[in-house]
C-alpha cells in the first residue's frame, strides 16, 4: 500500500494567506467524465482542427509554467509512461530544460516515449537502482505515468514507477490526474500516486472532485489547452465567481417584507436545537422575516436563541397553514419527527400553498415512506431535497454503499425522474436539477462532519429560497457559502454549526479569489487540498 501523502509548504508559494482556504474558479467551469473528456479531445482535433501535438504542447507548457512558479529551483524528474500522459511529461521536461532547469526522466511504461517531443534537447535518462536515489535528491517529481484512459489497478512498470514516486518523499506534480485513480468514479487504487499538486488539462474531471481520488490530488489546478467551448456541459463546478454573480443584491428600497418571508417547521417536543440552528442560518442568509413553527415546549429556548424570529406553535394548524399561504418559502424537516402526526402536518403544509420548499431530515424520511407526497408537491412548486447518503438510500430503496459508489448518477436520475432539485450531501456534495444538470460543490471539508450541519444548510437554503432565488441556485448557494464560511472559520475538527452561521456574513461579503493564481489567465480552477 502507498504511504500517506506528505504536505510540502512549497506548493503554496506566492499565495496569500486567504488563498489557503479559498477556491478560485471562473464563473463557468465544466467537469467531465473520462469518456466526455476523450470526446472533447476528439472534437478539438477533428472538428475544431486543433492537432493533437498542439494540445499536448499547450498542456505541457502550461504545466511547466506552474511548476516553475511553485518550485523555481532544483532538479525535476519525471516518470514517463507510454501514452499521451508520458508525452505531456516530456513536453514539461523539455520546456523546463529550455528555461535552464536541470531535468531527467525514467521509463514508466512498456513502450519508448516519442523523442520527437524533445525538439532536439537531450534529457538525461535514468534507469535501474539510480532512480530512487535521484528522486530523493530532486526538488520535484512529475507523474506522467497513466492518463484518463487507464482502467484497473496499475501493473508492471507503471506500478513500480508509482511506488518510486510515493517513497521518494518529495513533492509530486501529477499531470491530468494522479496515476491509479479513476477520472469518472473517483475510485483510487491502493497503488495510486499521492500527489502534492494535480494539474488537470482542459477541465476538471468529475472523479477528481470525488473521494477518495480527491485526496490523492493534493492541490487541484485546471488549465485551458485550446479545447472548443462547451456551454452545455452536463456537470459544472460551484465556484466563487459563479456564486458572486448568482447571488442577487438587495434593492435600495428593500424592507423585511420584500426581502423574503420564510416559514421553518422544525423541532418536536424538547428538541429545539435544530430549529435554532436553521432559524439563525435563514436570518444570516438574508431572509427578511422568519417564522419558526415548533413544539410549544421549545418556545422559550427558540425565542431566547433566535429573538428575530416569530414563534408559532405547530399544534395550531389553522394559524400555521394561514402563515404557510402568506410566506415566500417553506423549510421543513429538522427534528420534525416521523410519527403519524408529523406526517399529517407535512402533508397539510404541502397541500396548503404553492411556494418553494426545502425538505430535509425527518421530512425526507416521511417522503421515503410515501413518495406520493413528493409527486404532489412538485406539481405545485419547486422542491429541494437535501438527503445524506443514508436518506438517499431510503428514497431509492437501495443501500448506502450503492448510493456512495455512484453518487452523481443516483442524484441525477432521482432529480430527473421526480422533477425536483436534489442536493446529495457528501464529499463533495452534489446538486442535481430537474433537467439533469449536475453542479458540484468546491468548498467545505470533513470539518463539516458533525451533527447540526444539515440544519445549518436547510436554514441557509431556506433563506435564499425566501429571497426568491431559483431553487437549484438557492441549493448551490447554500452549499457554497456554508462551505466557504466553514473554511473561513479554520476550526478544523472543532467546527460547530454555529461557527458556520456566524461566519456566513463574511463569506457573503468575500466569496473567495476572483483572479487566477500567479496571474496566469489559462488557469480556470484552483482548489486547495480537501480533507
Amino acid at each position: 500500500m502507498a504511504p500517506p501523502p506528505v504536505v510540502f509548504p512549497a506548493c503554496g508559494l506566492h499565495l496569500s494567506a486567504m488563498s489557503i482556504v479559498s477556491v478560485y474558479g471562473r464563473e463557468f467551469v465544466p467537469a467531465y467524465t473520462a469518456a466526455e473528456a476523450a470526446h472533447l479531445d476528439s472534437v478539438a482535433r477533428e472538428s475544431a482542427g486543433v492537432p493533437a501535438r498542439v494540445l499536448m504542447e499547450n498542456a505541457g507548457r502550461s504545466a511547466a509554467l506552474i511548476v516553475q512558479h511553485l518550485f523555481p529551483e532544483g532538479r525535476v524528474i519525471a516518470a514517463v509512461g507510454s501514452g499521451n500522459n508520458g508525452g505531456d511529461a516530456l513536453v514539461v521536461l523539455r520546456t523546463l530544460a529550455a528555461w535552464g532547469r536541470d531535468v531527467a526522466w525514467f521509463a514508466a511504461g512498456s513502450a519508448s516515449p516519442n523523442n520527437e517531443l524533445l525538439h532536439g534537447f537531450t534529457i538525461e535518462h535514468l534507469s535501474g537502482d539510480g532512480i530512487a536515489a535521484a528522486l530523493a535528491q530532486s526538488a520535484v517529481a512529475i507523474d506522467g505515468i497513466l492518463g484518463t484512459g487507464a482502467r484497473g489497478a496499475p501493473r508492471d512498470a507503471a506500478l513500480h514507477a508509482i511506488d518510486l514516486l510515493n517513497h521518494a518523499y518529495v513533492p509530486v506534480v501529477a499531470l491530468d490526474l494522479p496515476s491509479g485513480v479513476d477520472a469518472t468514479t473517483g475510485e483510487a487504487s491502493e497503488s495510486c500516486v499521492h500527489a502534492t499538486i494535480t494539474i488537470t488539462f482542459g477541465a476538471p474531471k468529475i472523479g477528481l472532485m470525488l473521494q477518495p481520488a480527491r485526496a490523492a490530488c493534493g492541490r487541484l489546478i485546471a488549465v485551458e489547452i485550446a479545447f472548443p467551448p462547451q456551454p452545455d456541459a452536463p456537470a459544472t463546478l460551484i465556484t466563487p465567481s459563479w456564486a458572486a454573480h448568482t447571488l442577487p443584491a438587495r434593492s435600495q428600497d428593500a424592507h423585511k417584507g420584500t426581502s423574503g418571508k420564510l416559514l421553518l417547521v422544525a423541532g418536536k417536543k424538547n428538541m429545539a436545537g435544530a430549529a435554532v440552528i436553521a432559524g439563525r442560518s435563514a436570518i444570516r442568509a438574508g431572509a427578511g422575516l422568519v417564522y419558526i413553527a415548533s413544539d410549544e415546549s421549545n418556545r422559550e429556548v427558540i425565542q431566547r436563541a433566535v429573538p428575530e424570529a416569530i414563534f408559532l406553535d405547530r399544534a395550531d394548524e389553522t394559524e400555521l397553514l394561514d402563515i404557510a399561504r402568506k410566506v415566500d418559502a417553506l423549510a421543513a424537516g429538522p427534528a420534525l419527527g416521523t410519527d403519524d402526526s408529523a406526517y399529517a402536518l407535512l402533508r397539510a403544509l404541502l397541500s396548503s400553498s404553492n411556494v418553494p420548499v426545502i425538505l430535509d431530515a425527518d421530512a425526507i424520511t416521511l417522503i421515503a415512506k410515501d413518495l406520493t407526497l413528493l409527486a404532489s408537491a412538485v406539481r405545485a412548486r419547486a422542491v429541494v431535497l437535501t438527503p445524506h447518503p443514508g436518506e438517499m438510500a431510503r428514497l431509492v430503496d437501495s443501500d448506502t454503499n450503492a448510493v456512495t459508489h455512484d453518487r452523481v448518477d443516483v442524484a441525477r436520475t432521482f432529480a430527473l425522474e421526480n422533477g425536483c432539485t436534489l442536493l446529495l450531501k457528501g464529499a463533495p456534495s452534489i446538486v442535481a436539477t430537474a433537467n439533469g444538470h449536475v453542479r458540484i460543490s468546491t468548498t467545505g471539508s470533513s470539518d463539516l462532519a458533525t451533527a447540526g450541519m444539515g440544519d445549518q444548510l436547510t436554514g441557509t437554503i431556506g433563506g435564499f429560497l425566501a429571497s426568491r432565488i431559483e431553487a437549484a441556485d438557492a441549493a448551490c448557494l447554500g452549499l457554497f457559502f456554508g462551505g466557504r464560511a466553514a473554511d473561513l472559520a479554520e476550526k478544523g475538527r472543532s467546527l460547530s454549526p454555529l461557527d458556520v452561521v456566524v461566519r456566513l456574513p463574511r463569506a457573503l461579503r468575500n466569496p473567495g479569489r476572483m483572479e487566477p493564481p500567479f496571474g496566469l489567465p489559462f488557469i480556470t480552477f484552483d482548489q486547495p487540498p480537501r480533507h
Side-chain angles (χ1 to χ4, degrees):
M1 181 181 296
V6 181
V7 177
F8 297 95
C11 68
L13 288 175
H14 309 296
L15 294 180
S16 67
M18 183 197 75
S19 68
I20 294 173
V21 293
S22 178
V23 172
Y24 162 75
R26 293 181 180 175
E27 183 175 357
F28 175 75
V29 179
Y32 297 114
T33 65
E36 290 164 350
H39 174 71
L40 186 57
D41 184 275
S42 176
V43 168
R45 290 183 284 106
E46 298 174 11
S47 299
V50 184
R53 287 284 293 272
V54 170
L55 294 174
M56 187 174 290
E57 188 75 14
N58 290 344
R61 291 185 68 85
S62 296
L65 191 53
I66 293 170
V67 169
Q68 183 67 20
H69 271 276
L70 291 174
F71 309 99
E73 298 178 350
R75 198 180 202 199
V76 182
I77 297 178
V80 178
S82 303
N84 289 338
N85 206 241
D88 296 332
L90 287 183
V91 174
V92 171
L93 292 183
R94 183 250 300 159
T95 302
L96 290 172
W99 296 343
R101 294 293 295 272
D102 180 13
V103 300
W105 70 279
F106 65 94
S110 57
S112 299
N114 182 1
N115 286 328
E116 292 181 0
L117 294 170
L118 297 180
H119 293 190
F121 282 84
T122 300
I123 308 296
E124 181 181 359
H125 177 206
L126 304 173
S127 61
D129 295 337
I131 298 174
L135 280 170
Q137 298 299 316
S138 66
V140 59
I142 305 295
D143 168 19
I145 304 170
L146 299 173
T148 57
R151 296 291 181 271
R155 301 184 304 274
D156 305 328
L159 180 60
H160 179 60
I162 290 171
D163 188 61
L164 286 169
L165 292 183
N166 283 335
H167 286 88
Y169 297 103
V170 298
V172 175
V173 176
L175 301 182
D176 212 15
L177 79 172
S179 294
V181 308
D182 191 294
T184 298
T185 66
E187 294 178 353
S189 167
E190 286 189 0
S191 301
C192 74
V193 166
H194 291 278
T196 313
I197 300 164
T198 298
I199 302 171
T200 192
F201 303 134
K205 314 306 182 288
I206 286 178
L208 302 188
M209 303 300 300
L210 308 176
Q211 299 293 355
R214 182 63 191 87
C217 291
R219 179 177 175 181
L220 181 60
I221 299 174
V223 298
E224 180 274 327
I225 61 169
F227 283 157
Q230 296 291 305
D232 298 322
T236 55
L237 304 186
I238 307 169
T239 66
S241 182
W242 178 89
H245 283 90
T246 303
L247 183 67
R250 279 184 174 177
S251 63
Q252 294 185 10
D253 60 349
H255 55 79
K256 67 182 180 183
T258 60
S259 296
K261 300 183 288 293
L262 174 70
L263 172 58
L264 168 65
V265 186
K268 58 185 179 181
K269 186 175 181 180
N270 297 323
M271 292 191 68
V276 168
I277 295 169
R280 291 181 65 175
S281 298
I283 291 167
R284 291 296 189 187
L289 181 61
V290 176
Y291 297 90
I292 300 179
S294 192
D295 188 86
E296 181 63 26
S297 64
N298 300 326
R299 178 186 291 271
E300 182 175 357
V301 174
I302 291 173
Q303 291 193 316
R304 285 181 180 273
V306 199
E308 306 94 332
I310 297 174
F311 182 88
L312 303 174
D313 181 356
R314 63 185 262 184
D316 188 345
E317 188 170 303
T318 300
E319 180 182 28
L320 185 60
L321 298 184
D322 181 57
I323 294 296
R325 287 186 283 267
K326 297 177 179 178
V327 295
D328 300 296
L330 297 172
L336 178 69
T338 58
D339 58 13
D340 290 344
S341 64
Y343 172 84
L345 176 60
L346 180 62
R347 189 174 190 88
L349 281 167
L350 294 177
S351 302
S352 67
S353 71
N354 59 0
V355 298
V357 60
I358 173 172
L359 302 172
D360 183 37
D362 288 345
I364 292 175
T365 297
L366 293 171
I367 284 174
K369 294 178 181 178
D370 181 8
L371 283 173
T372 63
L373 276 178
L374 178 60
S376 61
V378 298
R379 285 195 290 268
R381 62 171 63 74
V383 177
V384 179
L385 299 180
T386 57
H388 59 59
E391 292 164 341
M392 189 74 237
R394 291 196 286 274
L395 284 172
V396 297
D397 193 23
S398 183
D399 62 78
T400 303
N401 287 337
V403 169
T404 302
H405 180 73
D406 201 10
R407 296 170 62 244
V408 173
D409 283 345
V410 167
R412 176 184 278 133
T413 299
F414 187 90
L416 269 171
E417 291 179 350
N418 293 277
C420 65
T421 295
L422 187 121
L423 189 163
L424 180 55
K425 298 169 184 172
S429 295
I430 294 165
V431 176
T433 68
N435 64 5
H437 186 71
V438 168
R439 304 178 191 174
I440 301 172
S441 177
T442 61
T443 58
S445 66
S446 61
D447 294 352
L448 292 162
T450 190
M453 289 300 181
D455 306 323
Q456 176 272 317
L457 181 62
T458 295
T460 304
I461 295 173
F464 288 143
L465 280 176
S467 301
R468 301 174 186 86
I469 296 173
E470 190 271 330
D473 289 345
C476 293
L477 289 170
L479 259 185
F480 177 86
F481 284 111
R484 170 69 171 156
D487 287 344
L488 289 171
E490 295 185 291
K491 295 281 188 177
R493 65 195 306 154
S494 299
L495 185 74
S496 78
L498 292 181
D499 290 326
V500 176
V501 174
V502 298
R503 285 168 179 82
L504 274 175
R506 183 180 170 195
L508 291 167
R509 290 193 306 270
N510 180 6
R513 286 183 288 161
M514 294 295 159
E515 299 296 330
F518 324 125
L520 300 177
F522 57 77
I523 294 179
T524 62
F525 180 71
D526 179 18
Q527 185 186 48
R530 301 286 85 183
H531 59 84

